[in-house]
Amino acid sequence: MSNNSETPLLPPATIGIVGGGQLGQMMALSAKEMGYKVGVLDPTPDSPTAQVSDFQITAEYDNHQALLELAKRSDVLTYEFENVDVDSLNEAKKFAALPQGTKLLEITGYRINEKNFLFDHDIPVTDYEAVETEDQLIKAIDRIGYPSILKTADGGYDGHGQQDLNSPDDIPAAKQLVSDAVCILEKRQTFAKELSVMVARSASGKIQVFPVSENIHHNHILHKSIIPARVNDHVSQHAKQLAKRIAEGLDLRGVLGIEYFMMTDGSLMVNELAPRPHNSGHYTIEACNVSQFEAHIRSICGLEIPQPVLNEPAVMVNLLGQHLQPARERLSSRPQWHFHDYGKAESRHDRKMGHITILGNIEDSLRQIKSEGIWEAEQ
C-alpha cells in the first residue's frame, strides 16, 4: 500500500517507537529536536529511548494490548528492530499511522523472504536454500557445499542463531539448530570488503542514499565503519544504484540499511537488509548535513529529505561492554571524540554500549583508535 498522498505530520504530533534501545534513542533525539513528542514501548524500565522520550509503556514487545495502547497515544508508529509482531501492528494501524507498513517487516524479518525478494528483483545474493528438516539440511549441504553458514530464518543478531559449516564435523551442531528453528543455508563468500549504505525514501517517492561505509567486523559484531569507503567510484555508484532499486522494490518508507559483500573483482552482493537505521550509519550524526535518524523521522512524518552530504571523512568505532569504562576514563583528554553512551542499565561483554565517531583524515583516525589499546582486537 502506498502512502504517497498523505498529509505531512507536523510537530508537536506524537511518534510511537516500538523498541527502546540505542536506535530508538537516537530516533527520539532527532524527533525531539524537531518538536515532536515521543513515546516508546520496551520491557526494560527507563530504557535508553525512554530516557529522552515523553513517556514509556513498560511491557514486552509481544504484549498486544501494550502495543495498542502505544498506538492510541501516538499519531504515527515506527520500530527500531525487525522482530515485531505483525498481527498486532496491523491492528494498531486502526489507531495510528504506520507509513512503513508491515510488508517491510515480513520481508526483512525473515531471512528466506528477504533472499527471495532480492533474488526476484535481480539483486545479486549468495547461493542459498531454505532448511526445515535434517534431510533438507543434508541435501542443501550437498548442493551448496562448504564453507557455508546456517542461520535461523528469523531472530538472531551479532552472530547469534548461526552455525558455520566448514566440514562434515559441523553437521551435528547444524542439526541441533535446525531442530530448534526454520533455517537458511547460505554459501559463505570470500570477499574483499564489507560495505553498507543507508537509503531513505520520502512519502513522495524521492530516494536519498547516504555515502558508502566500509565496515570491519570482529566476532560477527561491527567493530568500526570507515566513511567514505576505500573503494573506487564505480563500486560506490553501483552500491547506490542497487540501494535505489531495493528501495523502489520495497516501496520503502523510513530508512533502510543495506549490507554488501564486495568481491575481489569489485562486484557487489547484498548480504542483509535492516528496515531501520543501522549501526554503520551512526557516523551521519556528526559527519553529514542530515543524520540517518532525522531522515527516518522526516520520512515517516511525510516531510521531504535533503540530499545527504558528507561534510568530513569519519571513522566510527563501537564501544562494547568491555570498552565502555576505559573509554569513559579517557574522554576528558580526547576532545576529538564524538562520544555516545547509550545509557543501558547493564554493561555486558560484547554488548553494544555506545560508540565514538572521529572526523578528519581517515588514516590518522585509524592510527589513533589502534594506539588507544582499548579495542583488544586492534592490539
Side-chain angles (χ1 to χ4, degrees), residues 58-131:
T58 306
E60 296 294 334
Y61 303 123
D62 59 0
N63 185 316
H64 181 75
Q65 291 305 317
L67 184 56
L68 294 185
E69 181 185 348
L70 179 67
K72 291 174 182 177
R73 296 178 65 179
S74 304
D75 297 290
V76 64
L77 292 177
T78 188
Y79 38 79
E80 66 140 27
F81 64 100
E82 292 89 320
N83 301 309
V84 185
D85 182 61
V86 169
D87 291 338
S88 294
L89 276 178
N90 279 324
E91 186 169 347
K93 287 192 294 186
K94 300 174 185 176
F95 306 103
L98 185 69
Q100 293 163 274
T102 54
K103 178 185 174 185
L104 181 63
L105 283 177
E106 290 169 354
I107 292 172
T108 60
Y110 198 71
R111 289 190 172 96
I112 297 168
N113 291 346
E114 181 175 287
K115 283 290 192 291
N116 288 341
F117 165 83
L118 293 168
F119 182 82
D120 291 344
H121 285 77
D122 296 321
I123 305 293
V125 294
T126 192
D127 200 7
Y128 67 97
E129 193 80 54
V131 175

Side-chain angles (χ1 to χ4, degrees), residues 286-306:
E286 288 87 18
C288 292
N289 62 317
V290 58
S291 75
Q292 61 169 343
F293 302 100
E294 181 182 345
H296 184 81
I297 296 301
R298 283 179 167 272
S299 177
I300 64 170
C301 291
L303 310 180
E304 287 299 334
I305 306 162

Side-chain angles (χ1 to χ4, degrees), residues 3-10 36 76 99 201-204 253-254 295-305:
N3 295 288
N4 291 353
S5 62
E6 71 191 36
T7 301
L9 185 68
L10 302 176
Y36 290 99
V76 64
R201 182 174 174 273
S202 69
S204 67
R253 288 290 300 278
H296 184 81
I297 296 301
R298 283 179 167 272
S299 177
I300 64 170
C301 291
L303 310 180
E304 287 299 334
I305 306 162

Side-chain angles (χ1 to χ4, degrees), residues 111-112 115 125-153 161-166 170-171 174-175 177-178 181-188:
R111 289 190 172 96
I112 297 168
K115 283 290 192 291
V125 294
T126 192
D127 200 7
Y128 67 97
E129 193 80 54
V131 175
E132 295 188 38
T133 66
E134 290 186 8
D135 287 345
Q136 289 179 355
L137 172 65
I138 300 305
K139 290 178 182 177
I141 293 172
D142 287 343
R143 188 178 76 78
I144 293 175
Y146 302 104
S148 53
I149 307 174
L150 186 70
K151 302 177 181 179
T152 55
Q162 299 186 14
Q163 174 62 47
D164 289 335
L165 282 159
N166 298 308
D170 297 316
I171 290 178
K175 286 183 176 179
L177 193 60
V178 170
V182 176
C183 294
I184 183 171
L185 185 70
E186 301 178 358
K187 182 176 179 60
R188 191 162 68 216

Side-chain angles (χ1 to χ4, degrees), residues 22 157-160 218-222 279 318-324 344 346-354 376-377:
Q22 65 266 23
Y157 63 95
D158 292 344
H160 299 285
H218 290 137
N219 300 320
H220 299 287
I221 303 171
L222 180 64
N279 193 173
N318 269 330
L319 293 170
L320 306 183
Q322 62 268 35
H323 308 142
L324 183 61
K344 293 182 178 180
E346 181 185 0
S347 179
R348 298 194 302 269
H349 189 89
D350 281 353
R351 187 185 193 194
K352 292 174 183 173
M353 300 299 296
E376 65 275 8

Side-chain angles (χ1 to χ4, degrees), residues 27-46:
M27 283 184 203
L29 286 168
S30 285
K32 293 296 291 180
E33 283 181 351
M34 298 172 70
Y36 290 99
K37 304 293 186 185
V38 178
V40 58
L41 169 64
D42 194 271
T44 304
D46 197 32

